Amino acid sequence: MRRIEPRLQRKLLAWLLGPLLLLLALDTATAYFVSLRFANLAYDRALHEIAREIVLHAKPGEGRPRMELSDAAANVLLTDAQDRLYYRVDATDGTLLGGDAELPAPGVLRGRIEPRFRDVELHGEEVRLVSARMPIKTTPGAPEVHVQVAETLHKRTRLAWEMVVSTVLPQLLLIVMATAVVWFGVSRGLQPLQRLRDALANRSHLDLSAIDTHDVPGEVRPLVDEVNELMGRLGTTFDFQNRFVADAAHQLKTPVSGLKAQIELALRETDPERVKHSLAQLYISADRLSRLVRQLLSLARNEPNALDKVQLQPLDLNAFALEVSMDWVPHAIKRSIDLGFEGTDDEPLVIDADRDRLRELINNLIDNAIRYSQPGGRVTVRTGRSADQQVRLAISDDGPSIPVAERQRIFERFHRLLGNQEDGSGLGLAIVSEIATLHGAEITLEEDVDGVGNTFSVFFHSRED
Ligand SMILES: Nc1ncnc2c1ncn2[C@@H]1O[C@H](COP(=O)(O)OP(=O)(O)O)[C@@H](O)[C@H]1O
Ligand SMILES: [Mg+2]
């Protein structure tokens, strides 16, 4: 089983580690500068001390003082394990008395000045320089000299770095630990999702039962609830389809076994007259069967999800309903039914419709009206506008009214009224209903004003021009 890609984990870590590492970098930089300041404070004092020691080797002379610092003494004073040191001593009039002339000349000095510390360049590298003016002897009135001592920066930077490492290292450790905790926590948190995934992956494609929401985290719960809801709806649809297939098979079974029986009978006949009669019967049965098959196909063709295959085009319902009704006149005459049409004279009633499907809808309604009313009855096809400017098509008969309790159910597939002697499968009105839905139209069923008969009305949206 594949694991859930730890994308969430990685994202979280990136969000956490990015800012933390940036903070750490900032912290390292500040720590370095602060540490360097403290290192300077400590070592500057020592540097000033050396300057004092050097001045002890200046003696008063004629005019200006002179330096009596032997190389050996200078070595002792200026030797350091890590850094190189330099000195320079000048008289107050600016004359170099001793030391390294490369150090900056102090110029002519006036007044007493405090020791001054700064970073300068010497012999191509950075050095820390102290410059001070001090008397050569502690007796009052003794001449003064200007002294400078410089030192390379090795031990200062080293100390600063040692201090930085000791503060930053624990922080780094903390970040590493936080990362591990987050990684572990998130993977634990994602475990229920992984289980959910496994449960779904191992499921049979026929199993539409609800997913167990028992240990689903709250954040994912609405999603799982929606999926469960969808499963429920799918289950209903599956049941419906299964029932439909079973019903359809059952409906086909009877005429097919009838056909077989008739054929067997016909095969046994020897009298050509009787064979002919059997064949005529067979033709009727086959015709019935083919009608049933056509209706089943029509149902499949007009499923609500066939919407994108329907091509609605402007059509004058008034003229079209008259045209379709005319085709039924011979059949109505045969059944002694008075078939009438009441239209809007010449005012066109334009709607968006699929011609073939609309013809099927009207055919089914007229067929029912003629089929289920008694000989001598009246069937009327009407077109017009309703009060709210919708286009109305109504087919009325004066046969027995459909009981109110049945008015919904007769639109269901295979549903027929009890005691029905007429041929039929119960699919006609289901097809009518689907076609109406494809046209965005609504169907109503009422009895006639005088309380008998049935009026099926279909309300279409009027086409806006
Ligand atoms: N105009 C009508 N008058 C009386 N009953 C009707 C009428 N139209 C439909 N019905 C009843 O509704 C049932 C379903 O009609 P339909 O779906 O067209 O199927 P079928 O006509 O194949 O039985 C019919 O069997 C009939 O009992
Ligand atoms: Mg019918």
Side-chain angles (χ1 to χ4, degrees):
M1 182 110 327
R2 224 158 21 100
R3 280 193 48 80
I4 295 176
E5 273 223 9
R7 219 171 282 162
L8 189 62
Q9 254 160 312
R10 270 192 233 137
K11 226 178 231 179
L12 267 174
L13 274 191
W15 274 103
L16 189 76
L17 275 184
L20 277 183
L21 288 179
L22 195 76
L23 269 179
L24 189 69
L26 271 174
D27 198 31
T28 309
T30 21
Y32 178 74
F33 286 111
V34 171
S35 305
L36 196 59
R37 220 179 91 79
F38 282 108
N40 275 340
L41 272 181
Y43 288 122
D44 281 354
R45 209 170 296 154
L47 207 58
H48 188 221
E49 214 40 59
I50 294 173
R52 257 189 233 284
E53 297 273 349
I54 286 171
V55 172
L56 288 181
H57 295 271
K59 304 288 179 231
E62 302 115 46
R64 60 174 79 91
R66 69 196 145 72
M67 283 304 288
E68 278 180 9
L69 180 60
S70 66
D71 282 353
N75 253 346
V76 171
L77 273 177
L78 300 178
T79 298
D80 187 277
Q82 296 170 56
D83 285 295
R84 268 186 308 287
L85 284 104
Y86 310 91
Y87 82 96
R88 168 175 175 153
V89 180
D90 292 273
T92 42
D93 63 1
T95 322
L96 179 67
L97 299 178
D100 193 334
E102 292 286 319
L103 281 169
V108 181
L109 298 168
R110 251 170 273 110
R112 193 178 196 87
I113 48 166
E114 287 300 304
R116 203 169 127 217
F117 301 93
R118 60 201 156 114
D119 294 332
V120 296
E121 253 208 36
L122 181 69
H123 303 302
E125 72 183 316
E126 268 222 287
V127 293
R128 185 75 172 165
L129 177 80
V130 58
S131 50
R133 187 174 154 165
M134 34 181 109
I136 60 171
K137 280 199 293 187
T138 43
T139 46
E144 289 184 334
V145 289
H146 188 262
V147 60
Q148 297 182 82
V149 181
E151 177 182 62
T152 52
L153 301 180
H154 302 298
K155 60 173 170 291
R156 294 164 191 259
T157 42
R158 205 175 136 169
L159 179 63
W161 273 118
E162 273 169 16
M163 279 156 84
V164 166
V165 167
S166 64
T167 51
V168 168
L169 209 60
Q171 295 180 24
L172 197 67
L173 215 68
L174 202 71
I175 289 178
V176 170
M177 269 160 61
T179 307
V181 167
V182 167
W183 188 263
F184 179 72
V186 172
S187 49
R188 269 200 70 114
L190 288 178
Q191 259 172 22
L193 279 188
Q194 179 75 36
R195 277 201 291 276
L196 192 65
R197 198 198 110 115
D198 293 350
L200 278 176
N202 291 330
R203 202 171 246 255
S204 140
H205 66 285
L206 294 175
D207 181 5
L208 290 175
S209 62
I211 302 165
D212 182 16
T213 50
H214 167 65
D215 84 338
V216 169
E219 289 83 352
V220 195
R221 184 72 184 265
L223 182 73
V224 176
D225 285 345
E226 283 302 320
V227 171
N228 280 342
E229 172 97 2
L230 180 68
M231 295 262 225
R233 287 203 300 267
L234 271 179
T236 316
T237 314
F238 272 6
D239 288 349
F240 184 76
Q241 296 284 1
N242 285 342
R243 209 160 356 105
F244 178 68
V245 171
D247 284 347
H250 184 75
Q251 294 285 329
L252 287 169
K253 202 175 109 195
T254 320
V256 169
S257 15
L259 267 182
K260 261 176 75 183
Q262 283 172 329
I263 292 170
E264 273 166 20
L265 210 67
L267 282 175
R268 264 187 261 130
E269 293 291 355
T270 43
D271 180 0
E273 261 322 296
R274 298 189 122 220
V275 171
K276 209 171 164 196
H277 175 75
S278 294
L279 278 179
Q281 289 299 118
L282 262 175
Y283 179 80
I284 295 172
S285 303
D287 191 44
R288 225 177 268 159
L289 191 59
S290 92
R291 177 160 178 263
L292 178 60
V293 170
R294 246 185 294 124
Q295 282 188 312
L296 284 173
L297 282 177
S298 173
L299 269 180
R301 206 166 64 99
N302 293 316
E303 286 266 286
N305 55 21
L307 202 58
D308 47 340
K309 290 178 214 133
V310 180
Q311 295 244 318
L312 299 183
Q313 265 154 6
L315 169 146
D316 175 11
L317 183 69
N318 192 45
F320 189 68
L322 176 60
E323 179 193 318
V324 177
S325 305
M326 294 297 279
D327 294 341
W328 283 92
V329 173
H331 181 69
I333 292 172
K334 223 189 286 171
R335 305 227 1 178
S336 314
I337 300 278
D338 173 13
L339 176 63
F341 180 83
E342 291 174 17
T344 53
D345 292 327
D346 285 333
E347 192 215 329
L349 296 170
V350 185
I351 59 169
D352 283 318
D354 178 309
R355 265 185 105 78
D356 291 340
R357 287 184 165 91
L358 188 62
R359 185 189 300 276
E360 201 176 349
L361 178 147
I362 302 175
N363 278 342
N364 268 301
L365 289 176
I366 298 181
D367 177 56
N368 279 352
I370 295 177
R371 193 183 292 265
Y372 299 113
S373 50
Q374 297 96 341
R378 225 165 355 101
V379 170
T380 314
V381 178
R382 287 192 186 83
T383 59
R385 279 187 197 278
S386 65
D388 55 353
Q389 289 304 306
Q390 284 192 303
V391 172
R392 175 175 180 238
L393 166 76
I395 286 107
S396 316
D397 64 65
D398 58 359
S401 289
I402 299 169
V404 179
E406 291 281 351
R407 285 183 189 169
Q408 281 281 313
R409 298 208 60 196
I410 52 165
F411 289 98
E412 290 172 11
R413 295 167 173 189
F414 302 113
H415 189 77
R416 310 191 71 205
L417 296 191
L418 277 177
N420 203 332
Q421 301 298 317
E422 286 298 322
D423 239 18
S425 55
L427 292 177
L429 287 176
I431 294 169
V432 166
S433 163
E434 284 190 351
I435 294 175
T437 306
L438 288 181
H439 283 82
E442 254 180 75
I443 310 177
T444 63
L445 167 56
E446 291 155 343
E447 58 212 39
D448 263 2
V449 232
D450 48 8
V452 287
N454 305 285
T455 299
F456 286 86
S457 307
V458 191
F459 295 92
F460 296 91
H461 298 296
S462 181
R463 187 184 155 83
E464 323 262 326
D465 281 307

